[in-house]
């Protein structure tokens, strides 16, 4: 599904990623861990197509296509979802309106008619329940005045609505209390299918108690320095990132 | 702004003006130029009573002593007032009995604009007065309204049929001495809409005037008068379009509103005159004086406007809050794109006790547009317990445009509470990327964000208008992100 | 006063006064000051005294305060004054270097100044002769005479004032306190002309106290040019305490270079007319400029603060906060403008004006204007005019505080937002004390001078 080969990325002329290789298949959950500043969010931005990211070497292939010249909305329409570390506020645009626009744009891309009002409403209710998003939030402006936990839950809600093939959740667990995190994890687990995949980007191991990854990668100073199965996360938690530092 | 957005900006800001067609229709027009004879002829064409001619002549001689105002933050090229046609009317039969007698070409024109004049096709609850090149061509639902005592007719007809009302109110809110453009309008106005709501009547349908400039080199000078008697209510809509032309055309209208005890008038405008092309060529000069007088206690005037057209806009819909417990509102979205310039805002003059005013202005500048908000909130000594809230926000798209705010706040009464807030922002690249990531392309993302930004104002518009306005905003701006 | 002298007549009087005393002025002043007079005369003749027709003076009736006749003092009076004797504004605990001015003339300091080597602090006239290079490079360079008649008038009559020069890296440890006194037996036109040149990485705090010592009417025209080179830091605190017959026009031109910081506090406790004009030019990136103003006025006083914050360069920050409390028939004006030039991206510019009207005859006009030609900016302005918060008053009273005390408390809190920004502790406390007294009506005559004038 996703194949990253020797990816080098600059941001404002500075090299942040220095040769990443990553292979994600359908049905898998990958966790990418690493200390602050190791390049985790940059990797997510590169996959989603943020324009400040400059790919200097290597390539990202998604569903057999090189993403190099693809704009972010087409990537999204082909099933790529990024849960933002800092979800963006859009004043005056209600979440309902925002989601309806997004769904219809995605449908148009697939050659489908716009969703009917009743179907959309049904879908909203269903997915809200799934992530425990309070109904009153959907009439408010996107992320405006949302608490930290509400913003993160809103990201999972949107993921549920858009039903992506590959979801990248960037620090979706940060700043959440344990209950909120369980809700997020629950959402991720419930949405797991044999045909989709998830990349969890996280600083801490605790999310991985609730979402069991198939693979764990440690990103350090722009490189994946270790890959393994879920035990690697445990080991990292016990020994801390200093351990990696020493190893490297 | 990245390269793809740049391209998009270029592509969409050059989108065609949808209403730019010209209707080939027989027209009765004067020669270019303005003198006392022209003023007399206009009055003559209309079979006006003597008092109206007097008014026009006084206005004309006063106008000759005046100069164009220079204080606005606008660059206005020299206007040759002798190079304008002051009267042009679609040739028609002397009186119109029914729609069958209207020139079919005219009907098609208004249909093209989305304004069907055939009553059976009308959206329920909207009565339309269609004005082309200064002349009212057709007023719908006249009879239905007449049953309630509501008068909704062309201004020229009102002057003939209801001279007492006309004499009493024309020039009572905007005297011909008020300003250069009001004086000009008072001398040469050819038509417009007249609207009278009798005591105690809540007008059951929206009244709408649709203005269309068709002929080349003509100035449009219409005059609208709305009178709301005690305990009455009316919602009034105004729309405007013009053909695409390379030379500029002048539009100098006057709107007067008088509201008596407990009455309310809601005046909504979607102004979509031709704004000129992407290089700033052509477009309408829109110099308009709109003013309402809250004469009676507990009366209310609400101005709602969406301004997307015109090469230059000079317009300050105002409220004189003379009665006690009166309310004035001004909700505005103004867009300047390409080389458009706008200097617009409002005046709230508080004279009555416990009067309230609210001003919400959302300016959007893109391309090389210059967008100025200008307001005056004045609290006179007599006006106890006044409250005013003003919010003027500016949104900048691109680094070639400008956004300016010039509020004046004058308080002479210590019981007043006035608040003024203003912010300046731009559409964040992070907002666009967030939308992109959900599969929404940049054009739609901008439309979404702009409509969100302007929501407070759009919400104030009547339903059918709001939808039109929303589309208009998107068309006017798509792609022009910075 | 129905028979007001017209602005044209006032202008004529002033020009005649200049012509009558021109020889004396030219002879008593250095050529580097004199050489600007001719242009200034032409400009003043053309511009005259600003009236309400001038958009920037729309609400300030300057002419109303310039009625009657005024003498001109052309040289310093011979008598000696000991600052400590006549005037107790110098704050004992505040360790400052005190400089005294009488009617616009420099009377020096009571004791030797404790300043680093190379720092020059002296009379303007003296500096024009002794430091010609520095003087010539800056004098009258920022204050253009071609736009405001009152600036032209200052340049026309300029005779003396303070000159401060800080060579690169010079830091003044103690605040420099400049005391401007007005004292005479006749009405007087006083011109003060100051120049402050701060080199790279310098720092200084200026505390300026304006006082009238008698009940004559003064027409004071003060103009200060301040130049801040890279990474310099100037604090400018001014306390105005003048009688009700006085009109002070205070023009401050600030020119900031890269990374410099300018903080200004104008506290107007008392004045017939006080008009402060700030023209700040942020000429290079990363400048910061903070303008704060507080005025308390009553009777027929008029206080006007005008600002023009010019963001000429990217990445600069400016703040403006002006507050006023008006009682009786007092009138006030805030006329502020932020101008952001096309390439001044990443500008952050904020402006706020809050006013409280205590009486039905007081009036406040506010014009918080923005002109913005760059898109990546954060600009905001806000203005409020109102009364003391009734809810808060009630709340305080339910806690047993008397209404009078509660009102005082709220006014004091309102004023404190400005004063709390003053960085010198003792000075701040002293100002707080003066405001407290002013608000209690104990400062109805200009404070603390031994001459108890009644106006």
């Amino acid at each position: 599904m996703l194949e990253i080969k020797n990816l080098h990325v600059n941001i404002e002329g500075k090299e942040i990623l220095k040769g990443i290789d990553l292979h994600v298949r359908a049905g898998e959950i990958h966790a990418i861990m690493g200390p602050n500043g190791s390049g985790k969010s940059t990797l997510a931005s590169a996959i989603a197509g943020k324009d400040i990211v400059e790919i200097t070497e290597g390539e990202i292939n998604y569903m057999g296509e090189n993403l190099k010249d693809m704009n972010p909305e087409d990537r999204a329409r082909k099933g790529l979802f990024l849960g933002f570390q800092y979800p963006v506020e859009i004043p005056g645009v209600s979440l309902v309106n925002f989601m309806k626009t997004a769904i219809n744009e995605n449908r148009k891309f697939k050659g489908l008619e716009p969703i009917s009002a009743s179907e959309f409403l049904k879908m909203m209710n269903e997915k809200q329940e799934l992530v425990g998003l309070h109904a009153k939030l959907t009439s408010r402006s996107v992320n405006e005045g949302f608490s930290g936990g509400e913003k993160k839950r809103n990201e999972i809600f949107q993921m549920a609505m858009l039903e992506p093939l590959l979801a990248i959740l960037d620090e979706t667990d940060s700043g959440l209390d344990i209950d909120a995190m369980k809700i997020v994890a629950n959402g991720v687990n419930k949405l797991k299918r044999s045909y989709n995949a998830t990349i969890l980007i996280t600083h801490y191991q605790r999310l991985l108690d609730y979402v069991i990854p198939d693979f764990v990668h440690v990103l350090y100073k722009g490189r994946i320095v270790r890959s393994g199965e879920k035990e690697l996360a445990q080991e990292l938690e016990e020994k801390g990132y200093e351990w990696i530092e020493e190893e490297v | 702004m990245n390269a793809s957005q740049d391209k998009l900006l270029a592509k969409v800001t050059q989108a065609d003006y949808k209403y730019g067609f010209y209707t080939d229709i027989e027209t009765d027009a004067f020669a270019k130029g303005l003198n006392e004879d022209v003023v007399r002829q206009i009055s003559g064409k209309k079979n006006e009573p003597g008092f109206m001619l007097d008014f026009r002549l006084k206005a004309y001689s006063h106008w000759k002593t005046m100069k164009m105002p220079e204080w606005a933050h606008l660059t206005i090229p020299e206007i040759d007032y002798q190079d304008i046609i002051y009267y042009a009317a679609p040739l028609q039969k002397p009186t119109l009995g029914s729609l069958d007698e209207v020139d079919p070409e005219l009907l098609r024109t208004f249909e093209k604009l989305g304004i069907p004049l055939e009553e059976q096709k009308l959206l329920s609850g909207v009565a339309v007065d269609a004005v082309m090149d200064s002349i009212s061509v057709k007023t719908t639902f006249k009879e239905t309204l007449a049953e309630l005592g509501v008068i909704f007719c062309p201004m020229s007809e009102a002057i003939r049929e209801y001279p007492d009302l006309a004499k009493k109110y024309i020039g009572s809110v905007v005297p011909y001495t008020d300003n250069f453009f009001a004086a000009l309008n008072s001398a040469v106005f050819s038509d417009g809409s007249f609207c009278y709501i009798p005591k105690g009547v809540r007008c059951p349908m929206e009244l709408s005037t649709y203005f269309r400039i068709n002929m080349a080199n003509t100035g449009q000078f219409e005059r609208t008068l709305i009178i709301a008697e005690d305990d009455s209510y009316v919602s009034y809509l105004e729309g405007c379009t013009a053909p695409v032309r390379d030379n500029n055309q002048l539009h100098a209208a006057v709107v007067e509103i008088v509201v008596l005890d407990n009455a309310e008038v809601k005046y909504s405008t979607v102004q979509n005159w031709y704004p000129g092309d992407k290089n700033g060529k052509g477009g309408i000069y829109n110099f308009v004086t709109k003013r309402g007088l809250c004469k009676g206690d507990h009366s209310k005037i609400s101005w709602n406007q969406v301004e997307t057209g015109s090469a230059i806009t000079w317009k300050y819909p105002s409220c004189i809050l003379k009665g006690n417990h009166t309310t004035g509102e001004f909700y505005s979205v103004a867009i300047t794109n390409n080389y458009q310039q706008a200097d617009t805002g409002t005046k709230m003059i508080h004279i009555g006790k416990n009067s309230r005013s609210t001003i919400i202005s959302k300016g959007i500048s893109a391309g090389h547009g210059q967008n100025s908000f200008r307001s005056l909130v004045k609290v006179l000594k007599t006006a106890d317990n006044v409250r005013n809230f003003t919010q003027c926000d500016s949104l900048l798209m691109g680094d070639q445009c400008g956004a300016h705010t010039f509020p004046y706040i004058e308080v002479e009464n210590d019981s007043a509470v006035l608040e003024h807030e203003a912010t300046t922002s731009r559409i964040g690249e992070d907002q666009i990327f967030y939308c992109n990531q959900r599969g929404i392309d940049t054009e739609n993302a901008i439309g979404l964000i702009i409509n969100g930004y302007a929501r407070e104002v759009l919400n104030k518009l009547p339903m059918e208008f709001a939808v039109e306005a929303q589309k208009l905003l998107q068309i006017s701006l798509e792609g022009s992100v910075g | 006063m129905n028979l007001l002298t017209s602005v044209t007549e006032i202008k004529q009087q002033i020009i005649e006064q200049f012509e009558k005393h021109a020889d004396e002025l030219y002879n008593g002043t250095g050529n580097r000051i004199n050489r600007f007079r001719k242009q200034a005369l032409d400009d003043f003749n053309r511009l005259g005294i600003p009236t309400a027709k001038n958009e920037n003076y729309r609400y300030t009736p300057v002419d109303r305060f310039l009625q009657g006749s005024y003498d001109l003092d052309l040289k310093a009076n011979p008598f000696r004054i000991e600052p400590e004797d006549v005037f107790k504004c110098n704050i004992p605990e505040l360790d400052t270097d005190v400089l005294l001015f009488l009617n616009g003339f420099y009377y020096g300091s009571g004791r030797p100044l404790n300043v680093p080597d190379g720092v020059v602090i002296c009379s303007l006239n003296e500096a024009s002769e002794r430091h010609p290079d520095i003087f010539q490079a800056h004098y009258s360079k920022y204050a253009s005479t071609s736009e405001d008649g009152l600036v032209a008038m200052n340049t026309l009559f300029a005779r003396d004032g303070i000159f401060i020069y800080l060579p690169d890296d010079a830091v003044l440890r103690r605040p420099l306190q400049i005391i401007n006194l007005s004292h005479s037996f006749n009405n007087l036109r006083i011109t003060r002309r100051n120049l402050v040149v701060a080199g790279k990485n310098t720092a200084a705090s200026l505390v300026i106290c304006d006082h009238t010592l008698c009940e004559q009417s003064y027409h004071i025209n003060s103009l200060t040019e301040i130049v801040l080179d890279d990474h310099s830091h100037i604090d400018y605190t001014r306390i105005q305490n003048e009688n009700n017959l006085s009109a002070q026009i205070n023009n401050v031109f600030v020119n900031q270079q890269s990374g410099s910081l300018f903080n200004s506090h104008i506290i107007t406790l008392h004045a017939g007319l006080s008009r402060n004009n700030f023209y700040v030019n942020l000429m290079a990136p990363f400048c910061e400029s903070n303008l704060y103003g507080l005025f308390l006025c009553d009777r027929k006083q008029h206080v006007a603060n005008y600002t023009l914050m010019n963001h000429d360069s990217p990445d600069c920050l400016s703040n403006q906060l002006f507050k006023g409390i008006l009682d009786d028939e007092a009138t006030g004006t805030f006329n502020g403008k932020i101008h952001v030039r096309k390439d001044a991206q990443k500008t952050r510019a904020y402006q706020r004006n809050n006013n409280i009207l205590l009486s039905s005859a007081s009036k406040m006009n506010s014009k918080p204007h923005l002109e913005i030609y760059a898109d990546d900016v954060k600009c905001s302005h806000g203005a409020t005019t109102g009364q003391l918060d009734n809810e808060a008053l009630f709340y305080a009273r339910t806690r047993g505080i008397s209404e009078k005390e509660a009102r005082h408390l709220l006014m004091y809190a309102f004023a404190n937002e400005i004063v709390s920004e003053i960085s010198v502790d003792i000075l701040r406390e002293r100002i707080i004390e003066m405001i407290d007294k002013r608000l209690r009506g104990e400062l109805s005559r200009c404070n603390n001078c031994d001459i108890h004038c009644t106006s």
Side-chain angles (χ1 to χ4, degrees), chain B residues 158-214:
Chain B
I159 291 169
R160 286 190 306 268
E161 306 283 324
Y162 314 99
D164 293 347
L165 283 174
K167 196 171 179 180
K168 184 172 175 190
Y169 289 111
I170 289 178
S172 71
V173 186
V174 181
Y176 63 80
T177 50
D178 193 80
N179 67 69
F180 182 84
F181 300 113
L184 179 63
N185 175 287
S186 302
V188 304
F189 75 91
S190 29
D191 217 331
S193 294
F194 174 86
C195 167
Y196 175 83
I197 316 293
K199 199 169 168 174
V201 172
R202 276 189 73 87
C203 189
M205 56 181 80
E206 314 263 359
L207 301 186
S208 172
T209 300
Y210 202 89
F211 294 105
R212 171 80 181 166
I213 297 179
N214 191 48

Side-chain angles (χ1 to χ4, degrees), chain C residues 310-331:
Chain C
N310 256 323
H311 279 264
D312 271 4
S313 285
D315 298 297
C316 293
L317 167 68
S318 71
N319 277 299
Q320 300 176 46
L321 176 58
F322 285 85
K323 292 185 136 188
I325 301 178
L326 300 99
D327 204 350
D328 300 337
E329 292 167 68
T331 50

Side-chain angles (χ1 to χ4, degrees), chain B residues 320-362:
Chain B
I320 300 170
L321 302 166
K322 193 167 177 227
N324 297 327
H325 306 279
T326 46
T327 305
E329 291 179 342
F330 176 77
Y331 289 86
S332 166
V333 181
I335 289 184
T336 51
N337 197 359
N338 296 324
Y339 285 86
Q340 283 177 268
Q341 307 174 59
D343 193 302
T344 185
T346 185
K347 289 188 216 175
M348 293 289 173
I349 313 293
H350 291 266
I351 301 170
K353 293 181 182 23
N354 299 306
S355 49
R356 300 273 181 277
S357 61
T358 305
I359 300 171
I360 308 284
S361 162
K362 304 274 182 177

Side-chain angles (χ1 to χ4, degrees), chain B residues 73 370 376 381 387 392 396-426 482, chain C residues 55 58-59 337 342 345-346 357-387:
Chain B
H73 193 87
Q370 294 296 330
L376 170 66
K381 221 174 179 47
R387 298 289 177 270
C392 58
L396 291 131
M397 303 171 73
D399 56 6
Q400 302 294 317
C401 54
H404 322 292
T405 54
F406 304 106
Y408 293 76
I409 304 157
E410 302 179 10
V411 189
E412 298 184 8
N413 185 302
D414 65 323
S415 61
V417 177
L418 291 92
E419 286 174 77
H420 177 105
E421 287 173 13
T423 61
T424 301
S425 57
R426 63 173 190 163
Chain C
E55 181 63 26
R58 189 179 167 108
Y59 301 117
K337 187 181 260 184
K342 199 173 140 218
Q345 297 292 7
K346 307 274 177 203
L357 298 180
L358 296 176
S359 70
S360 60
S362 55
K363 275 186 208 173
M364 182 69 206
N365 297 308
S366 184
K367 260 176 63 180
H369 288 187
L370 304 176
E371 253 185 81
I372 298 168
Y373 297 91
D375 64 330
D376 189 5
V377 298
K378 284 200 177 100
C379 295
S380 71
H381 65 179
T384 60
T385 299
Q387 312 79 48

Side-chain angles (χ1 to χ4, degrees), chain C residues 138 140-144 151 193-198 206 208 222-229 232-238 250-266 276-284 287-292 306-312 316-319 322:
Chain C
H138 299 290
S140 209
K141 194 175 161 194
Y142 313 100
S144 160
V151 172
R193 179 68 176 230
N194 311 305
L195 178 60
V196 178
V197 180
L206 313 178
I208 300 131
S222 168
L223 194 156
T224 307
E225 290 172 288
I226 303 177
V227 190
L228 292 93
D229 208 338
S232 57
H233 172 180
I234 297 284
D235 278 348
Y236 174 96
T237 308
R238 187 161 195 155
N250 174 31
N251 277 293
V252 182
F253 291 83
V254 181
N255 227 51
Q256 290 187 243
Q257 293 299 331
S258 181
S260 60
L261 168 63
F262 179 72
N263 289 322
S264 159
H265 289 83
I266 291 272
N276 298 298
N277 297 333
F278 282 89
Y279 299 88
V280 181
N281 286 309
L282 305 171
M283 305 296 291
C287 293
E288 181 179 337
S289 204
N290 299 304
L291 306 181
Y292 296 95
Y306 170 88
T307 66
L308 176 56
M309 184 64 74
N310 256 323
H311 279 264
D312 271 4
C316 293
L317 167 68
S318 71
N319 277 299
F322 285 85

Side-chain angles (χ1 to χ4, degrees), chain A residues 195-228:
Chain A
Y195 53 85
N196 66 19
T198 306
I199 299 174
L200 301 169
I201 293 178
T202 181
H203 184 80
Y204 304 105
Q205 188 264 340
R206 57 173 200 165
L207 177 67
L208 307 181
D209 290 342
Y210 302 96
V211 184
I212 311 296
D214 301 300
F215 298 96
V216 176
H217 311 275
V218 180
L219 191 60
Y220 183 72
K221 290 192 176 164
R223 290 193 177 87
I224 290 180
V225 293
R226 276 225 174 190
S227 291

Side-chain angles (χ1 to χ4, degrees), chain A residues 157-201:
Chain A
F157 165 70
Q158 292 183 31
M159 176 173 115
M161 291 290 285
L162 294 167
E163 298 174 334
L165 294 174
L166 175 64
I168 304 159
L169 302 179
D170 188 2
E171 304 265 0
T172 301
D173 55 327
S174 66
L176 295 186
D177 62 38
I178 198 77
D179 292 330
M181 199 177 69
K182 274 185 195 163
I183 292 168
V184 169
N186 191 25
V188 174
N189 288 330
K190 277 193 189 159
L191 293 168
K192 186 178 165 171
R193 302 283 181 276
S194 62
Y195 53 85
N196 66 19
T198 306
I199 299 174
L200 301 169
I201 293 178

Side-chain angles (χ1 to χ4, degrees), chain A residues 37-241:
Chain A
S38 58
K40 299 189 301 280
S41 288
T42 302
L43 178 60
S45 298
I47 300 169
K50 196 165 182 176
D51 63 1
I52 59 160
V53 168
E54 187 199 341
I55 296 177
T56 54
E57 216 186 315
E59 57 187 58
I60 307 172
N61 289 304
Y62 169 71
M63 306 293 285
E65 246 183 302
N66 190 336
L67 291 184
K68 195 170 186 299
D69 294 319
M70 199 186 289
N71 64 32
E73 59 268 32
D74 284 341
R75 298 180 196 208
R77 291 161 182 174
K78 289 180 178 178
L80 217 156
F81 180 89
L82 173 64
F84 284 57
Q85 182 178 5
Y86 304 107
V88 180
E89 298 183 1
I90 310 179
V93 177
S94 71
L95 184 55
V96 178
N97 188 11
F98 182 69
M99 262 353 283
K100 197 166 177 184
T101 310
I103 294 238
N104 283 335
E105 290 277 313
N106 278 289
R107 288 175 68 99
K108 195 166 83 190
F109 186 77
K110 295 187 180 96
L112 300 171
E113 288 292 302
I115 192 166
S116 75
S118 61
E119 209 181 319
F120 177 72
L121 211 66
K122 201 177 130 221
M123 190 170 166
M124 286 280 286
N125 288 336
E126 223 171 81
K127 308 294 182 181
Q128 266 167 33
E129 225 164 283
L130 181 77
V131 295
L133 191 75
H134 206 287
K136 71 168 198 266
L137 290 182
T138 58
S139 57
R140 295 234 298 263
S141 297
V142 179
N143 290 321
E144 203 184 36
F146 285 30
S147 72
E150 284 167 345
K151 279 183 183 172
K152 295 296 172 73
R153 234 180 279 178
N154 181 19
E155 293 294 288
I156 300 296
F157 165 70
Q158 292 183 31
M159 176 173 115
M161 291 290 285
L162 294 167
E163 298 174 334
L165 294 174
L166 175 64
I168 304 159
L169 302 179
D170 188 2
E171 304 265 0
T172 301
D173 55 327
S174 66
L176 295 186
D177 62 38
I178 198 77
D179 292 330
M181 199 177 69
K182 274 185 195 163
I183 292 168
V184 169
N186 191 25
V188 174
N189 288 330
K190 277 193 189 159
L191 293 168
K192 186 178 165 171
R193 302 283 181 276
S194 62
Y195 53 85
N196 66 19
T198 306
I199 299 174
L200 301 169
I201 293 178
T202 181
H203 184 80
Y204 304 105
Q205 188 264 340
R206 57 173 200 165
L207 177 67
L208 307 181
D209 290 342
Y210 302 96
V211 184
I212 311 296
D214 301 300
F215 298 96
V216 176
H217 311 275
V218 180
L219 191 60
Y220 183 72
K221 290 192 176 164
R223 290 193 177 87
I224 290 180
V225 293
R226 276 225 174 190
S227 291
E229 297 192 0
K230 64 172 192 287
E231 294 74 24
L232 178 59
Q234 222 95 45
E235 202 174 346
L236 206 57
E237 179 76 2
E238 282 156 22
K239 300 186 180 170
Y241 285 112

